[in-house]
Amino acid sequence: MDAGKEIVRFEEMGLAYEDAPETLSDVTMTLREGEFRFLTGPSGAGKTSLLKMIYLAHRPTRGRFFLFEENATEAPREALPALRRRIGVVFQEFRLLDHLTAYENVALPMKVAGVNQNQYREDVSELLNWVGLGDRMDAKPPTLSGGEKQRVALARALVSKPDLILADEPTGNVDPAMGERIMKLFVELNKLGAAVIVATHDLHLVQSIGKPVLRIGEGRVTRSAGAGGAA
Amino acid sequence: MTQAEERDTEEETAALKAPRRGIFGRQTAPLLPEAGAAGAPLTAVIAVMSFLAVLAMASLLMVNRAASEWTSALRSEITVQVKGASAEEIESGVEAVLRVLRDTEGVLEANEKSREETAELLEPWLGDGNAQAFLNIPAIIEVKAAPSLRDNLDLLRNRIAAAAPTASLDDHARWHDRLSGAARSGQAMAFGVFLLVMGAACAISIFAARAGLAANHEIVSVLHLVGATDEFIAAEVQRRFFILGLRGALLGLFAALAALVVAGLAMRAGGGTDNFLPSLRLGGWMILWLAAAPVATCLVTAVTARLTVLKTLSQQY
Ligand SMILES: Nc1ncnc2c1ncn2[C@@H]1O[C@H](COP(=O)(O)OP(=O)(O)OP(=O)(O)O)[C@@H](O)[C@H]1O
Ligand SMILES: [Mg+2]
């Protein structure tokens, strides 16, 4: 347990939305370089909330939070974009930009980072081909099916070769075969060095992949033995 | 399942060798959606602002020009008035003054205004052909003075007083002061209007930029989450506002130029005496100044939008 660098670390973290009681309480956890975690728990347990804090959309209301070994709770606003660029997120509701084409949506993280189009054009089309949307690159999200949107969202999350991949129900809208393919892709990317957290309800997939599982219930995060238990 | 497996086996090679159609030379879309319906009113408002800015600038230029025309005319002109109880007394006074003027350096021209002309000028006050008064009408000598003389009038004033005690020299200083005072306040007013218009453009831009951010909240938040800096988003907004602003500003400029031309034609058609009214003729460099007004409107709009976005975003996480 001493190996990789810390990617995410929460210490006694708590999250409360406005005046509501805490959605997450006393979360203490560490994710290291090269680790893969599933995140499970009933609907409304706080899986998305936990991911939101990691991708810097929400601040914890108490406790400490380190991202890539930087103190993210105290990081100045100017430091956030650089941290966010190291994270690829597949949002539960996809969050694609409807006025852009599939290609442009996938290219967005690169464009925003000021990368020249010549340097990402091939990666973008390769990814879109990989997710089976090579012939829909010019389609806008409103004309795509739920599963197709999810795959565009997946491609966008991966295009910048992030150090940390966060996927919120990434297989919720695709057929089981595609779901399995996507999970295997995460495993491959994890082997290449990316840390991965996948929030999912699909216990069948969790079992077939065999990676450690974090369970959220009653506001607490607990480790339950993953089906395979390695790491 | 079989289909997917097929895909699986093909994927590595397929991904690498997939045809890349239409990607080269692709024009990437702006990251914020076209303003569409929201763009038109903003363009219209900017057009109005730029129209007003051009008119304010035009009046500033006209007042400037009129003021310099009036004052330079006044500055080169001196009049000497010779009074007297009788025509003979006036006559001899005029002779004496003309003699002094003739050997004063800097006098370019000195002419006695004919009595008839003077009488004509006075007619409205004296009534038609009032002979009695006519006899004692003071003589007026118009002098064109070089600037050197103009700056040193006291000596001439004394010499004229010595030669003809009933003569008095008028350098129009009072008029000059009044005219340039009036011109200055005219300029200040036109400039004030110009500034007000710029202020209004600013306020509209702040309002529109905030509304735009609120309307595009989801897009802005996605841009942030994929790593966009505030500067990046602000620059996008600035570009958007610059284009809208330019469109509006050009509309405003053409409308204002058309209005000026129409006003100029109407003035000319309305009769000759535009001597005293600011003229509407526009020189080449004046057009440049006029064009600067919409450019200023457009820049003010764009830069304000950018600053507004930066400020608004800095209050978010
Ligand atoms: N922006 C918000 N404001 C207030 N409450 C929120 C907000 N987002 C989430 N919540 C609440 O926090 C709790 C956890 O929500 P969250 O979305 O994290 O659950 P989840 O585990 O992702 O559920 P699901 O499996 O349905 O996606 C829920 O009770 C939800 O109502
Ligand atoms: Mg969720």
Side-chain angles (χ1 to χ4, degrees):
Chain A
M1 261 302 169
D2 44 86
K5 283 185 182 166
E6 283 176 7
I7 303 291
V8 176
R9 179 151 59 95
F10 287 112
E11 287 174 5
E12 300 288 306
M13 181 274 286
L15 169 72
Y17 287 110
E18 271 123 54
D19 299 331
E22 281 190 337
T23 300
L24 294 168
S25 295
D26 303 323
V27 176
T28 296
M29 61 162 272
T30 305
L31 181 78
R32 288 174 187 280
E33 209 171 29
E35 288 186 332
F36 191 125
R37 294 281 182 280
F38 280 110
L39 193 58
T40 64
S43 178
K47 301 182 291 297
T48 301
S49 301
L50 184 69
L51 295 180
K52 269 189 196 165
M53 279 182 292
I54 301 177
Y55 59 71
L56 303 172
H58 240 288
R59 278 185 199 281
T61 37
R62 71 184 169 84
R64 302 218 293 164
F65 165 37
F66 295 86
L67 188 61
F68 302 116
E69 303 188 324
E70 277 185 51
N71 188 335
T73 30
E74 282 160 21
R77 183 174 170 75
E78 305 79 70
L80 303 183
L83 292 173
R84 287 182 181 131
R85 283 176 197 176
R86 299 180 64 183
I87 308 176
V89 189
V90 186
F91 300 100
Q92 190 167 11
E93 325 77 16
F94 320 136
R95 306 186 73 170
L96 300 175
L97 301 190
D98 284 348
H99 66 289
L100 299 182
T101 63
Y103 173 91
E104 287 159 351
N105 266 288
V106 175
L108 197 59
M110 308 307 278
K111 186 165 184 182
V112 147
V115 179
N116 188 306
Q117 190 177 194
N118 293 326
Q119 286 168 43
Y120 59 73
R121 190 184 283 125
E122 304 226 331
D123 291 345
V124 171
S125 30
E126 188 173 328
L127 269 167
L128 278 167
N129 277 311
W130 191 88
V131 296
L133 292 174
D135 54 344
R136 307 285 332 253
M137 286 193 202
D138 291 321
K140 302 209 165 161
T143 69
L144 296 175
S145 76
E148 287 170 335
K149 282 186 218 170
Q150 188 146 44
R151 287 178 274 153
V152 175
L154 174 71
R156 182 181 65 188
L158 302 181
V159 71
S160 60
K161 303 188 173 69
D163 297 327
L164 171 62
I165 297 167
L166 304 175
D168 201 350
E169 296 285 356
T171 58
N173 293 300
V174 296
D175 58 79
M178 180 51 92
E180 201 159 322
R181 250 181 107 219
I182 290 174
M183 283 302 177
K184 282 188 177 144
L185 174 65
F186 286 140
V187 172
E188 289 307 309
L189 292 170
N190 176 239
K191 277 187 196 153
L192 292 174
V196 180
I197 302 180
V198 178
T200 182
H201 290 290
D202 192 337
L203 298 178
H204 177 74
L205 263 183
V206 172
Q207 285 201 329
S208 75
I209 300 295
K211 292 284 186 183
V213 176
L214 294 171
R215 254 197 74 81
I216 303 187
E218 279 139 29
R220 312 277 159 159
V221 176
T222 49
R223 270 191 85 155
S224 67
Chain B
M1 228 9 177
T2 49
Q3 211 182 11
E5 275 163 8
E6 255 169 49
R7 245 200 233 147
D8 261 7
T9 55
E10 281 168 21
E11 83 198 15
E12 283 86 4
T13 48
L16 291 170
K17 291 180 183 162
R20 302 195 171 82
R21 348 125 300 122
I23 305 293
F24 271 87
R26 180 193 289 265
Q27 186 70 39
T28 47
L31 295 188
L32 295 171
E34 285 301 335
L42 186 60
T43 306
V45 170
I46 293 172
V48 171
M49 289 298 142
S50 125
F51 177 81
L52 296 175
V54 173
L55 290 191
M57 184 61 88
S59 32
L60 184 61
L61 293 175
M62 284 185 239
V63 172
N64 270 348
R65 185 150 89 179
S68 67
E69 275 171 11
W70 293 337
T71 53
S72 74
L74 276 182
R75 267 190 76 75
S76 62
E77 236 170 66
I78 301 169
T79 45
V80 182
Q81 196 186 52
V82 185
K83 287 187 215 141
S86 65
E88 291 73 39
E89 195 185 348
I90 293 174
E91 209 60 55
S92 66
V94 167
E95 297 277 297
V97 170
L98 284 177
R99 234 175 290 128
V100 169
L101 286 172
R102 232 167 276 137
D103 51 74
T104 302
E105 215 167 307
V107 172
L108 304 175
E109 223 180 283
N111 291 313
E112 188 192 353
K113 244 194 175 145
S114 78
R115 316 296 295 288
E116 286 75 22
E117 248 179 86
T118 314
E120 240 170 64
L121 281 176
L122 293 176
E123 206 153 33
W125 283 274
L126 297 179
D128 241 344
N130 193 325
Q132 194 55 44
F134 180 78
L135 287 177
N136 296 332
I137 286 173
I140 304 278
I141 302 169
E142 286 184 336
V143 180
K144 284 234 180 306
S148 57
L149 173 63
R150 175 78 216 187
D151 294 335
N152 194 8
L153 268 184
D154 284 344
L155 186 65
L156 179 62
R157 197 189 301 274
N158 292 339
R159 287 179 60 197
I160 284 176
T166 59
S168 62
L169 184 147
D170 183 3
D171 60 0
H172 305 298
R174 223 157 47 98
W175 271 105
H176 185 270
D177 289 352
R178 277 208 200 161
L179 274 180
S180 53
R184 259 196 308 277
S185 53
Q187 286 163 340
M189 206 142 93
F191 191 63
V193 169
F194 182 78
L195 286 186
L196 275 181
V197 170
M198 288 300 124
C202 232
I204 285 162
S205 182
I206 290 175
F207 181 76
R210 282 199 195 137
L213 274 188
N216 292 311
H217 179 264
E218 169 63 12
I219 292 170
V220 169
S221 132
V222 168
L223 287 175
H224 270 143
L225 290 179
V226 299
T229 58
D230 293 349
E231 286 76 16
F232 180 91
I233 294 169
E236 285 287 314
V237 173
Q238 172 169 275
R239 208 172 46 137
R240 162 64 44 79
F241 273 64
F242 184 78
I243 292 167
L244 282 181
L246 198 62
R247 217 178 290 164
L250 287 178
L251 279 175
L253 174 64
F254 291 130
L257 288 181
L260 287 173
V261 167
V262 168
L265 290 179
M267 221 178 228
R268 207 168 302 166
T273 57
D274 56 316
N275 276 350
F276 205 67
L277 282 170
S279 86
L280 287 167
R281 281 164 295 129
L282 298 170
W285 58 272
M286 269 179 136
I287 297 275
L288 283 185
W289 272 108
L290 289 189
V295 169
T297 316
C298 176
L299 287 180
V300 161
T301 310
V303 170
T304 307
R306 177 162 158 275
L307 296 178
T308 306
V309 169
L310 282 179
K311 178 147 188 289
T312 310
L313 292 182
S314 73
Q315 288 150 6
Q316 302 176 353
Y317 176 41

